[in-house]
Protein backbone atom coordinates (compact mmCIF):
# COMPACT_ATOMS: atom_id res chain seq x y z
CA UNK A 1 0.00 0.00 0.00
CA UNK A 2 1.36 3.46 -0.85
CA UNK A 3 0.52 6.47 1.27
CA UNK A 4 0.84 10.14 0.43
CA UNK A 5 1.24 10.99 4.13
CA UNK A 6 4.23 8.77 4.68
CA UNK A 7 7.84 9.42 3.81
CA UNK A 8 9.05 6.63 1.50
CA UNK A 9 12.54 5.27 2.17
CA UNK A 10 14.47 2.40 0.61
CA UNK A 11 16.56 -0.27 2.30
CA UNK A 12 18.91 -2.13 -0.05
CA UNK A 13 20.13 -5.60 0.86
CA UNK A 14 21.65 -7.05 -2.34
CA UNK A 15 22.08 -10.76 -1.44
CA UNK A 16 20.24 -11.04 1.87
CA UNK A 17 16.54 -11.27 1.04
CA UNK A 18 14.47 -9.92 3.96
CA UNK A 19 11.62 -12.24 2.95
CA UNK A 20 13.82 -15.38 2.85
CA UNK A 21 14.11 -18.22 5.36
CA UNK A 22 17.05 -17.48 7.64
CA UNK A 23 19.71 -19.95 8.80
CA UNK A 24 20.71 -21.26 5.37
CA UNK A 25 23.70 -20.39 3.21
CA UNK A 26 23.68 -16.61 2.61
CA UNK A 27 20.68 -16.11 4.91
CA UNK A 28 21.55 -15.00 8.41
CA UNK A 29 21.78 -11.90 10.54
CA UNK A 30 21.55 -9.40 7.68
CA UNK A 31 18.20 -10.81 6.49
CA UNK A 32 16.85 -10.65 10.05
CA UNK A 33 18.18 -7.11 10.59
CA UNK A 34 16.74 -5.65 7.39
CA UNK A 35 13.38 -7.38 7.78
CA UNK A 36 12.92 -6.28 11.41
CA UNK A 37 14.04 -2.71 11.01
CA UNK A 38 11.89 -2.48 7.86
CA UNK A 39 8.78 -3.68 9.62
CA UNK A 40 9.42 -1.61 12.73
CA UNK A 41 10.17 1.54 10.70
CA UNK A 42 6.80 1.05 8.97
CA UNK A 43 5.15 0.76 12.38
CA UNK A 44 6.85 4.04 13.32
CA UNK A 45 5.26 5.83 10.34
CA UNK A 46 7.62 5.38 7.36
CA UNK A 47 6.77 3.83 3.99
CA UNK A 48 9.46 1.15 3.65
CA UNK A 49 10.60 -0.59 0.46
CA UNK A 50 13.31 -3.24 0.88
CA UNK A 51 15.21 -4.19 -2.28
CA UNK A 52 17.06 -7.42 -2.89
CA UNK A 53 18.24 -9.54 -5.83
CA UNK A 54 15.80 -12.11 -7.18
CA UNK A 55 17.42 -15.55 -6.81
CA UNK A 56 14.63 -17.86 -7.90
CA UNK A 57 12.19 -17.58 -10.81
CA UNK A 58 9.38 -18.96 -8.62
CA UNK A 59 9.79 -16.24 -5.99
CA UNK A 60 7.26 -13.41 -6.02
CA UNK A 61 8.58 -10.07 -7.32
CA UNK A 62 6.97 -8.22 -4.42
CA UNK A 63 6.25 -9.57 -0.93
CA UNK A 64 4.00 -7.37 1.19
CA UNK A 65 4.96 -7.84 4.87
CA UNK A 66 2.60 -5.27 6.34
CA UNK A 67 0.57 -2.41 4.83
CA UNK A 68 3.57 -0.08 4.55
CA UNK A 69 6.47 -2.50 4.29
CA UNK A 70 7.38 -4.73 1.35
CA UNK A 71 10.30 -6.63 -0.16
CA UNK A 72 10.96 -5.96 -3.85
CA UNK A 73 13.03 -8.54 -5.73
CA UNK A 74 14.97 -7.02 -8.60
CA UNK A 75 16.40 -8.65 -11.70
CA UNK A 76 20.21 -8.67 -11.56
CA UNK A 77 21.85 -11.62 -13.28
CA UNK A 78 20.40 -15.10 -13.52
CA UNK A 79 17.44 -15.89 -11.27
CA UNK A 80 19.56 -18.42 -9.42
CA UNK A 81 21.95 -18.55 -6.47
CA UNK A 82 25.17 -16.65 -7.24
CA UNK A 83 27.93 -16.57 -4.58
CA UNK A 84 28.53 -13.12 -3.08
CA UNK A 85 32.04 -12.91 -4.49
CA UNK A 86 30.61 -13.19 -8.02
CA UNK A 87 27.79 -10.68 -7.62
CA UNK A 88 29.60 -7.42 -8.29
CA UNK A 89 29.34 -7.76 -12.09
CA UNK A 90 25.52 -7.89 -11.75
CA UNK A 91 25.20 -4.77 -9.64
CA UNK A 92 24.88 -2.33 -12.59
CA UNK A 93 21.76 -4.29 -13.65
CA UNK A 94 20.55 -4.13 -10.03
CA UNK A 95 20.86 -0.32 -10.11
CA UNK A 96 18.98 0.02 -13.42
CA UNK A 97 16.23 -2.35 -12.17
CA UNK A 98 15.95 -0.16 -9.05
CA UNK A 99 15.70 3.00 -11.14
CA UNK A 100 13.07 1.58 -13.46
CA UNK A 101 11.02 0.35 -10.46
CA UNK A 102 11.18 3.88 -9.01
CA UNK A 103 10.07 5.38 -12.33
CA UNK A 104 7.16 2.99 -12.92
CA UNK A 105 5.91 3.43 -9.33
CA UNK A 106 6.34 7.21 -9.41
CA UNK A 107 8.52 7.03 -6.30
CA UNK A 108 11.53 9.07 -5.32
CA UNK A 109 13.31 7.91 -2.20
CA UNK A 110 15.11 10.79 -0.50
CA UNK A 111 17.00 8.38 1.77
CA UNK A 112 18.50 4.98 1.03
CA UNK A 113 19.93 2.72 3.76
CA UNK A 114 22.37 0.24 2.19
CA UNK A 115 23.48 -3.05 3.73
CA UNK A 116 26.77 -4.85 2.81
CA UNK A 117 29.38 -3.46 0.42
CA UNK A 118 27.61 -4.47 -2.82
CA UNK A 119 24.56 -2.44 -1.80
CA UNK A 120 26.89 0.41 -0.81
CA UNK A 121 28.19 0.46 -4.40
CA UNK A 122 24.59 0.55 -5.68
CA UNK A 123 23.76 3.41 -3.28
CA UNK A 124 26.75 5.46 -4.41
CA UNK A 125 25.78 4.89 -8.07
CA UNK A 126 22.22 6.09 -7.33
CA UNK A 127 23.66 9.13 -5.59
CA UNK A 128 25.41 10.17 -8.82
CA UNK A 129 22.07 10.81 -10.56
CA UNK A 130 19.83 11.83 -7.66
CA UNK A 131 20.09 13.78 -4.44
CA UNK A 132 19.58 10.79 -2.14
CA UNK A 133 20.94 10.71 1.39
CA UNK A 134 22.92 7.57 2.17
CA UNK A 135 23.06 5.59 5.41
CA UNK A 136 25.10 2.37 5.46
CA UNK A 137 25.51 -0.72 7.67
CA UNK A 138 28.44 -3.04 6.82
CA UNK A 139 27.37 -6.41 8.38
CA UNK A 140 30.76 -7.83 7.36
CA UNK A 141 34.08 -6.18 6.58
CA UNK A 142 36.51 -7.27 3.87
CA UNK A 143 39.40 -5.81 5.87
CA UNK A 144 38.64 -8.24 8.72
CA UNK A 145 37.58 -11.20 6.62
CA UNK A 146 40.67 -11.23 4.39
CA UNK A 147 43.01 -11.21 7.41
CA UNK A 148 42.12 -14.84 8.12
CA UNK A 149 41.21 -16.06 4.64
CA UNK A 150 43.77 -18.19 2.80
CA UNK A 151 42.24 -17.77 -0.67
CA UNK A 152 41.54 -14.06 -1.28
CA UNK A 153 38.86 -13.62 -3.99
CA UNK A 154 39.51 -11.56 -7.11
CA UNK A 155 36.95 -8.97 -6.09
CA UNK A 156 38.83 -8.19 -2.83
CA UNK A 157 40.51 -4.95 -3.96
CA UNK A 158 37.20 -3.55 -5.30
CA UNK A 159 35.45 -4.48 -2.05
CA UNK A 160 38.10 -2.79 0.10
CA UNK A 161 37.88 0.37 -2.02
CA UNK A 162 34.06 0.49 -1.86
CA UNK A 163 34.13 -0.10 1.91
CA UNK A 164 36.43 2.90 2.31
CA UNK A 165 34.47 5.10 -0.09
CA UNK A 166 31.12 4.45 1.59
CA UNK A 167 32.55 5.37 5.01
CA UNK A 168 33.95 8.62 3.62
CA UNK A 169 30.94 9.53 1.44
CA UNK A 170 27.78 8.27 3.20
CA UNK A 171 25.80 10.77 5.23
CA UNK A 172 26.22 8.33 8.07
CA UNK A 173 27.55 4.83 8.67
CA UNK A 174 25.89 2.73 11.36
CA UNK A 175 28.32 0.67 13.45
CA UNK A 176 26.46 -1.98 15.42
CA UNK A 177 28.93 -1.95 18.32
CA UNK A 178 31.75 0.28 19.64
CA UNK A 179 34.11 -2.56 18.63
CA UNK A 180 32.92 -2.28 15.00
CA UNK A 181 33.46 1.48 15.12
CA UNK A 182 37.04 0.95 16.34
CA UNK A 183 37.67 -1.56 13.56
CA UNK A 184 36.30 0.84 10.95
CA UNK A 185 38.57 3.60 12.21
CA UNK A 186 41.68 1.45 12.39
CA UNK A 187 41.25 -0.66 9.25
CA UNK A 188 39.05 1.37 6.88
CA UNK A 189 39.26 5.17 7.24
CA UNK A 190 39.58 7.94 9.79
CA UNK A 191 37.16 10.07 7.75
CA UNK A 192 33.35 9.98 7.67
CA UNK A 193 30.47 10.04 10.11
CA UNK A 194 29.77 6.98 12.31
CA UNK A 195 26.87 6.45 14.71
CA UNK A 196 26.67 3.41 16.99
CA UNK A 197 23.23 1.81 16.83
CA UNK A 198 23.15 -1.89 17.78
CA UNK A 199 21.21 -4.72 16.17
CA UNK A 200 18.13 -5.85 18.03
CA UNK A 201 15.92 -8.81 18.66
CA UNK A 202 12.21 -9.49 18.90
CA UNK A 203 11.83 -9.53 22.68
CA UNK A 204 8.19 -10.69 22.39
CA UNK A 205 9.38 -13.81 20.61
CA UNK A 206 12.70 -14.39 22.40
CA UNK A 207 11.84 -14.13 26.11
CA UNK A 208 11.92 -16.00 29.41
CA UNK A 209 9.56 -18.99 29.35
CA UNK A 210 9.38 -22.42 30.97
CA UNK A 211 12.36 -24.69 30.35
CA UNK A 212 10.31 -27.76 31.36
CA UNK A 213 7.70 -26.94 28.73
CA UNK A 214 10.36 -26.35 26.04
CA UNK A 215 12.08 -29.67 26.85
CA UNK A 216 8.78 -31.53 26.74
CA UNK A 217 7.95 -29.98 23.34
CA UNK A 218 11.35 -30.99 21.94
CA UNK A 219 11.23 -34.43 23.59
CA UNK A 220 14.34 -33.74 25.67
CA UNK A 221 14.65 -35.25 29.14
CA UNK A 222 14.99 -33.09 32.25
CA UNK A 223 18.37 -34.65 33.15
CA UNK A 224 19.99 -33.95 29.82
CA UNK A 225 22.74 -31.34 29.70
CA UNK A 226 22.05 -29.50 26.48
CA UNK A 227 24.78 -27.53 24.70
CA UNK A 228 23.40 -25.49 21.77
CA UNK A 229 24.82 -23.94 18.61
CA UNK A 230 22.62 -21.80 16.35
CA UNK A 231 23.83 -20.31 13.07
CA UNK A 232 25.08 -20.81 9.56
CA UNK A 233 27.60 -23.44 8.52
CA UNK A 234 30.66 -21.40 7.69
CA UNK A 235 34.20 -22.19 8.79
CA UNK A 236 34.51 -18.75 10.40
CA UNK A 237 31.62 -19.61 12.73
CA UNK A 238 34.04 -21.96 14.54
CA UNK A 239 31.68 -24.94 14.93
CA UNK A 240 34.74 -27.21 14.90
CA UNK A 241 36.00 -25.55 18.12
CA UNK A 242 32.68 -26.30 19.81
CA UNK A 243 32.63 -29.92 18.65
CA UNK A 244 36.17 -30.47 19.94
CA UNK A 245 35.31 -28.77 23.25
CA UNK A 246 32.27 -31.00 23.54
CA UNK A 247 34.50 -34.04 22.98
CA UNK A 248 36.72 -32.92 25.90
CA UNK A 249 33.63 -32.78 28.14
CA UNK A 250 32.60 -36.26 27.02
CA UNK A 251 36.06 -37.53 27.97
CA UNK A 252 35.36 -36.35 31.53
CA UNK A 253 32.60 -38.93 31.68
CA UNK A 254 29.82 -36.39 32.18
CA UNK A 255 26.49 -38.18 31.82
CA UNK A 256 23.58 -37.13 29.58
CA UNK A 257 25.51 -34.62 27.48
CA UNK A 258 23.74 -33.54 24.30
CA UNK A 259 25.02 -31.24 21.55
CA UNK A 260 22.36 -29.64 19.35
CA UNK A 261 23.51 -27.91 16.17
CA UNK A 262 20.82 -25.74 14.60
CA UNK A 263 21.12 -24.25 11.09
CA UNK A 264 22.24 -25.04 7.59
CA UNK A 265 20.62 -25.85 4.30
CA UNK A 266 20.58 -29.13 2.45
CA UNK A 267 23.83 -30.95 1.70
CA UNK A 268 23.79 -29.90 -1.99
CA UNK A 269 24.01 -26.16 -1.16
CA UNK A 270 27.42 -24.44 -0.83
CA UNK A 271 27.30 -24.52 2.98
CA UNK A 272 26.82 -28.30 2.69
CA UNK A 273 30.63 -28.71 2.44
CA UNK A 274 31.13 -27.21 5.90
CA UNK A 275 28.25 -29.24 7.29
CA UNK A 276 29.77 -32.43 5.87
CA UNK A 277 33.16 -31.47 7.36
CA UNK A 278 31.61 -30.93 10.80
CA UNK A 279 29.63 -34.17 10.57
CA UNK A 280 32.86 -36.03 9.79
CA UNK A 281 34.59 -34.53 12.84
CA UNK A 282 31.60 -35.47 15.01
CA UNK A 283 31.85 -38.98 13.64
CA UNK A 284 35.65 -39.27 14.09
CA UNK A 285 35.37 -38.11 17.70
CA UNK A 286 32.67 -40.70 18.42
CA UNK A 287 30.02 -38.06 19.17
CA UNK A 288 27.35 -39.15 16.69
CA UNK A 289 25.01 -40.58 19.34
CA UNK A 290 25.11 -37.45 21.47
CA UNK A 291 24.84 -34.89 18.62
CA UNK A 292 21.71 -33.73 16.83
CA UNK A 293 21.81 -31.74 13.57
CA UNK A 294 18.38 -30.16 13.26
CA UNK A 295 18.84 -28.26 9.97
CA UNK A 296 17.32 -24.81 9.65
CA UNK A 297 14.78 -23.83 12.30
CA UNK A 298 12.51 -20.79 11.87
CA UNK A 299 12.14 -18.01 14.44
CA UNK A 300 8.71 -19.40 15.37
CA UNK A 301 10.26 -22.58 16.85
CA UNK A 302 13.76 -21.33 17.68
CA UNK A 303 12.82 -19.89 21.13
CA UNK A 304 12.04 -23.47 22.24
CA UNK A 305 15.60 -24.56 21.42
CA UNK A 306 17.18 -21.64 23.28
CA UNK A 307 14.90 -22.16 26.27
CA UNK A 308 15.54 -25.90 26.40
CA UNK A 309 19.32 -25.41 26.34
CA UNK A 310 21.62 -25.17 29.37
CA UNK A 311 24.19 -23.16 27.48
CA UNK A 312 24.45 -21.57 24.02
CA UNK A 313 27.92 -21.51 22.46
CA UNK A 314 29.08 -18.92 19.91
CA UNK A 315 32.59 -19.96 18.84
CA UNK A 316 32.94 -17.51 15.89
CA UNK A 317 36.38 -16.38 14.79
CA UNK A 318 34.90 -12.90 14.32
CA UNK A 319 31.41 -11.44 14.73
CA UNK A 320 30.58 -7.78 13.93
CA UNK A 321 27.50 -8.10 16.17
CA UNK A 322 26.13 -11.66 16.58
CA UNK A 323 22.35 -11.84 16.80
CA UNK A 324 22.38 -15.36 18.20
CA UNK A 325 23.98 -14.09 21.42
CA UNK A 326 21.17 -11.66 22.16
CA UNK A 327 18.46 -14.14 21.13
CA UNK A 328 19.86 -16.76 23.53
CA UNK A 329 20.29 -14.28 26.39
CA UNK A 330 16.77 -12.91 25.81
CA UNK A 331 15.52 -16.47 26.45
CA UNK A 332 17.59 -16.58 29.65
CA UNK A 333 20.30 -18.91 28.37
CA UNK A 334 23.87 -18.07 29.40
CA UNK A 335 26.33 -18.00 26.52
CA UNK A 336 29.94 -19.00 26.10
CA UNK A 337 31.28 -16.94 23.24
CA UNK A 338 34.48 -15.88 21.54
CA UNK A 339 35.95 -12.69 22.93
CA UNK A 340 35.65 -10.84 19.61
CA UNK A 341 33.82 -7.95 17.94
CA UNK A 342 30.21 -7.29 18.93
CA UNK A 343 30.14 -10.25 21.34
CA UNK A 344 32.34 -8.16 23.67
CA UNK A 345 29.63 -5.49 23.57
CA UNK A 346 26.53 -7.63 24.07
CA UNK A 347 27.76 -10.15 26.67
CA UNK A 348 28.58 -9.07 30.21
CA UNK A 349 31.22 -11.55 31.44
CA UNK A 350 30.20 -13.54 34.54
CA UNK A 351 26.77 -11.82 34.53
CA UNK A 352 25.16 -12.95 31.28
CA UNK A 353 27.75 -15.37 29.95
CA UNK A 354 31.46 -15.96 29.45
CA UNK A 355 33.97 -14.71 26.89
CA UNK A 356 36.90 -16.90 25.91
CA UNK A 357 39.60 -16.72 23.26
CA UNK A 358 38.39 -17.83 19.81
CA UNK A 359 39.58 -21.29 18.67
CA UNK A 360 40.68 -22.16 22.25
CA UNK A 361 39.07 -25.60 22.62
CA UNK A 362 40.03 -26.03 26.27
CA UNK A 363 38.77 -22.59 27.27
CA UNK A 364 35.41 -23.32 25.61
CA UNK A 365 35.20 -26.71 27.38
CA UNK A 366 35.98 -25.05 30.76
CA UNK A 367 33.41 -22.30 30.17
CA UNK A 368 30.69 -24.78 29.22
CA UNK A 369 31.59 -26.96 32.22
CA UNK A 370 31.31 -24.02 34.65
CA UNK A 371 27.85 -23.16 33.36
CA UNK A 372 26.64 -26.77 33.36
CA UNK A 373 27.61 -27.32 36.99
CA UNK A 374 26.85 -24.08 38.87
CA UNK A 375 23.10 -24.04 39.25
CA UNK A 376 22.83 -21.05 41.60
CA UNK A 377 25.00 -18.80 39.46
CA UNK A 378 23.09 -19.87 36.33
CA UNK A 379 19.75 -19.06 37.92
CA UNK A 380 21.00 -15.51 38.54
CA UNK A 381 22.50 -15.22 35.05
CA UNK A 382 19.23 -16.32 33.46
CA UNK A 383 17.43 -13.24 34.80
CA UNK A 384 20.35 -10.89 34.18
CA UNK A 385 20.80 -12.09 30.60
CA UNK A 386 17.17 -11.54 29.71
CA UNK A 387 17.01 -8.12 31.43
CA UNK A 388 20.22 -7.02 29.66
CA UNK A 389 18.70 -7.73 26.24
CA UNK A 390 15.35 -6.15 27.05
CA UNK A 391 17.02 -2.94 28.17
CA UNK A 392 19.55 -2.59 25.38
CA UNK A 393 18.52 -4.56 22.31
CA UNK A 394 14.78 -4.58 21.58
CA UNK A 395 13.99 -3.94 17.89
CA UNK A 396 11.69 -1.13 18.86
CA UNK A 397 14.38 0.68 20.85
CA UNK A 398 16.97 0.12 18.14
CA UNK A 399 14.67 1.19 15.30
CA UNK A 400 13.64 4.37 17.11
CA UNK A 401 17.34 5.30 17.12
CA UNK A 402 17.59 4.58 13.38
CA UNK A 403 14.41 6.52 12.67
CA UNK A 404 15.82 9.52 14.55
CA UNK A 405 19.05 9.22 12.59
CA UNK A 406 17.12 9.26 9.26
CA UNK A 407 15.13 12.33 10.34
CA UNK A 408 18.33 14.07 11.33
CA UNK A 409 20.02 13.22 8.01
CA UNK A 410 16.97 14.37 6.00
CA UNK A 411 16.62 17.58 8.03
CA UNK A 412 20.32 18.33 7.50
CA UNK A 413 19.93 17.82 3.73
CA UNK A 414 17.01 20.27 3.63
CA UNK A 415 19.03 22.79 5.64
CA UNK A 416 21.89 22.47 3.16
CA UNK A 417 19.52 23.05 0.24
CA UNK A 418 18.09 26.13 1.95
CA UNK A 419 21.53 27.42 2.80
CA UNK A 420 22.50 26.98 -0.83
CA UNK A 421 19.44 28.79 -2.24
CA UNK A 422 19.90 31.56 0.34
CA UNK A 423 23.56 32.11 -0.53
CA UNK A 424 22.96 32.31 -4.27
CA UNK A 425 21.49 35.90 -4.40
CA UNK A 426 24.26 37.21 -2.13
CA UNK A 427 26.87 35.74 -4.44
CA UNK A 428 25.10 37.30 -7.44
CA UNK A 429 24.90 40.67 -5.72
CA UNK A 430 28.58 40.84 -4.98
CA UNK A 431 29.49 39.73 -8.49
N1 LIG B 1 18.95 -18.50 12.30
C1 LIG B 1 17.68 -19.04 12.14
N2 LIG B 1 17.56 -20.38 11.95
C2 LIG B 1 18.62 -21.20 11.90
C3 LIG B 1 19.92 -20.64 12.06
C4 LIG B 1 20.05 -19.29 12.26
O1 LIG B 1 16.68 -18.35 12.19
O2 LIG B 1 18.43 -22.40 11.69
C5 LIG B 1 19.05 -17.04 12.53
C6 LIG B 1 19.44 -16.71 13.96
O3 LIG B 1 18.31 -16.85 14.79
C7 LIG B 1 19.91 -15.27 13.81
C8 LIG B 1 20.56 -15.28 12.42
O4 LIG B 1 20.08 -16.45 11.74
O5 LIG B 1 18.83 -14.38 13.84
C9 LIG B 1 22.08 -15.34 12.51
O6 LIG B 1 22.56 -14.05 12.80
P1 LIG B 1 24.01 -13.78 13.40
O7 LIG B 1 24.18 -12.30 13.49
O8 LIG B 1 24.20 -14.54 14.67
O9 LIG B 1 25.00 -14.42 12.33
P2 LIG B 1 25.22 -14.14 10.75
O10 LIG B 1 24.43 -15.19 10.03
O11 LIG B 1 24.76 -12.75 10.44
O12 LIG B 1 26.69 -14.33 10.54
Amino acid sequence: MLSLNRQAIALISDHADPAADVGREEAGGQNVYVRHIGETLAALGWQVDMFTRKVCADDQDIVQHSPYCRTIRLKAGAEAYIPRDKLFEHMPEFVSSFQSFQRTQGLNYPLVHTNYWLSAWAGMELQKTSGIQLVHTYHSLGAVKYQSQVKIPQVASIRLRIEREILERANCVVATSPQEQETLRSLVSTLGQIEIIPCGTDTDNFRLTSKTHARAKLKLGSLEKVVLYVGRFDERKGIETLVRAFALLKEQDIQNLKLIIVGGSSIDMPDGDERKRIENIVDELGLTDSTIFTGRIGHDILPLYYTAADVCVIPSHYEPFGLVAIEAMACGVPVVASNVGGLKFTIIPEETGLLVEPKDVEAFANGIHRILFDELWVRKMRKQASANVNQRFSWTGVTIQLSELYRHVLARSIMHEQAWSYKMPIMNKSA
Side-chain angles (χ1 to χ4, degrees):
M1 194 186 296
L2 294 178
S3 164
L4 293 176
N5 301 323
R6 287 177 173 247
Q7 178 67 70
I9 49 170
L11 307 184
I12 301 185
S13 175
D14 51 86
H15 65 280
D17 182 339
D21 294 337
V22 280
R24 301 182 189 203
E25 168 71 17
E26 300 287 302
Q30 185 176 328
N31 308 62
V32 174
Y33 175 89
V34 177
R35 167 80 176 265
H36 277 277
I37 63 168
E39 288 189 344
T40 317
L41 284 165
L44 291 174
W46 300 86
Q47 161 86 45
V48 185
D49 285 344
M50 308 186 284
F51 292 87
T52 192
R53 194 182 79 82
K54 188 167 180 184
V55 295
C56 176
D58 293 339
D59 284 348
Q60 289 169 268
D61 287 341
I62 298 182
V63 180
Q64 195 78 43
H65 299 287
S66 61
Y68 300 106
C69 177
R70 55 189 178 165
T71 290
I72 295 131
R73 296 185 171 123
L74 298 177
K75 173 97 179 66
E79 288 177 350
Y81 169 76
I82 301 176
R84 280 183 237 186
D85 286 342
K86 303 269 182 258
L87 270 183
F88 184 61
E89 63 194 82
H90 302 294
M91 291 314 287
E93 190 184 355
F94 187 96
V95 170
S96 44
S97 299
F98 180 98
Q99 286 164 327
S100 77
F101 180 85
Q102 259 200 137
R103 267 194 309 276
T104 51
Q105 297 265 320
L107 284 163
N108 199 4
Y109 306 102
L111 185 139
V112 175
H113 183 162
T114 54
N115 294 271
Y116 197 64
W117 73 272
L118 291 161
S119 302
W121 181 85
M124 288 190 287
E125 284 300 296
L126 292 167
Q127 211 180 30
K128 287 180 186 163
T129 52
S130 63
I132 57 163
Q133 307 303 302
L134 266 183
V135 172
H136 180 68
T137 306
Y138 283 88
H139 297 279
S140 148
L141 259 184
V144 173
K145 187 174 174 180
Y146 301 143
Q147 276 175 349
S148 59
Q149 212 166 347
V150 186
K151 217 172 134 217
I152 308 289
Q154 261 186 338
V155 79
S157 59
I158 301 173
R159 175 174 180 174
L160 294 173
R161 176 173 56 79
I162 303 296
E163 287 184 340
R164 182 174 42 76
E165 277 179 21
I166 191 72
L167 176 51
E168 294 178 354
R169 284 176 46 188
N171 298 83
C172 190
V173 155
V174 174
T176 53
S177 64
Q179 287 73 14
E180 189 184 359
Q181 181 183 34
E182 267 170 43
T183 309
L184 286 171
R185 285 297 180 227
S186 61
L187 296 182
V188 181
S189 177
T190 51
L191 305 175
Q193 177 78 26
I194 303 178
E195 283 291 322
I196 299 169
I197 302 180
C199 292
T201 194
D202 181 350
T203 46
D204 291 331
N205 190 36
F206 296 107
R207 63 192 169 89
L208 278 181
T209 53
S210 155
K211 187 168 177 174
T212 316
H213 169 78
R215 289 228 166 166
K217 280 266 179 202
L218 297 178
K219 301 196 169 30
L220 291 166
S222 59
L223 294 178
E224 264 162 328
K225 299 200 178 306
V226 179
V227 179
L228 177 71
Y229 168 85
V230 176
R232 292 180 295 115
F233 277 84
D234 181 319
E235 207 184 325
R236 284 163 301 138
K237 287 284 180 188
I239 309 174
E240 177 174 352
T241 309
L242 164 60
V243 171
R244 294 194 183 280
F246 187 78
L248 287 188
L249 293 170
K250 285 290 276 184
E251 280 170 19
Q252 293 173 27
D253 231 11
I254 300 168
Q255 297 301 302
N256 298 317
L257 268 179
K258 184 130 272 163
L259 174 61
I260 302 185
I261 299 182
V262 171
S265 35
S266 57
I267 280 301
D268 56 354
M269 286 298 284
D271 66 338
D273 290 348
E274 176 64 0
R275 176 165 170 172
K276 196 85 218 105
R277 195 179 75 84
I278 297 296
E279 279 176 353
N280 288 341
I281 299 172
V282 165
D283 196 32
E284 277 162 25
L285 295 172
L287 303 174
T288 310
D289 289 346
S290 42
T291 306
I292 301 174
F293 290 89
T294 66
R296 191 197 79 81
I297 302 282
H299 273 197
D300 48 343
I301 309 290
L302 203 49
L304 284 179
Y305 280 85
Y306 287 125
T307 307
D310 291 298
V311 54
C312 180
V313 182
I314 306 161
S316 314
H317 302 169
Y318 184 76
E319 211 48 86
F321 185 81
L323 282 176
V324 166
I326 57 171
E327 291 166 5
M329 290 189 290
C331 294
V333 188
V335 289
V336 178
S338 297
N339 190 18
V340 293
L343 298 170
K344 293 203 247 187
F345 172 57
T346 53
I347 297 160
I348 309 172
E350 305 288 328
E351 286 184 29
T352 68
L354 294 172
L355 290 171
V356 300
E357 282 316 296
K359 301 185 193 172
D360 187 336
V361 172
E362 224 168 283
F364 271 94
N366 288 339
I368 297 168
H369 190 279
R370 277 187 67 197
I371 289 177
L372 289 181
F373 288 96
D374 193 337
E375 213 177 297
L376 267 180
W377 176 46
V378 165
R379 220 179 283 164
K380 211 165 129 205
M381 275 210 286
R382 191 172 145 77
K383 290 198 191 111
Q384 288 168 175
S386 164
N388 171 42
V389 176
N390 276 296
Q391 276 160 19
R392 300 165 65 203
F393 306 116
S394 78
W395 277 127
T396 313
V398 164
T399 315
I400 287 171
Q401 294 175 56
L402 276 175
S403 180
E404 277 167 13
L405 172 68
Y406 295 168
R407 286 192 201 290
H408 182 72
V409 166
L410 288 170
R412 216 168 39 191
S413 76
I414 292 165
M415 266 157 51
H416 278 165
E417 270 170 31
Q418 283 171 350
W420 172 245
S421 57
Y422 176 69
K423 274 180 199 149
M424 284 299 278
I426 298 173
M427 280 163 64
N428 287 345
K429 212 171 152 188
S430 61

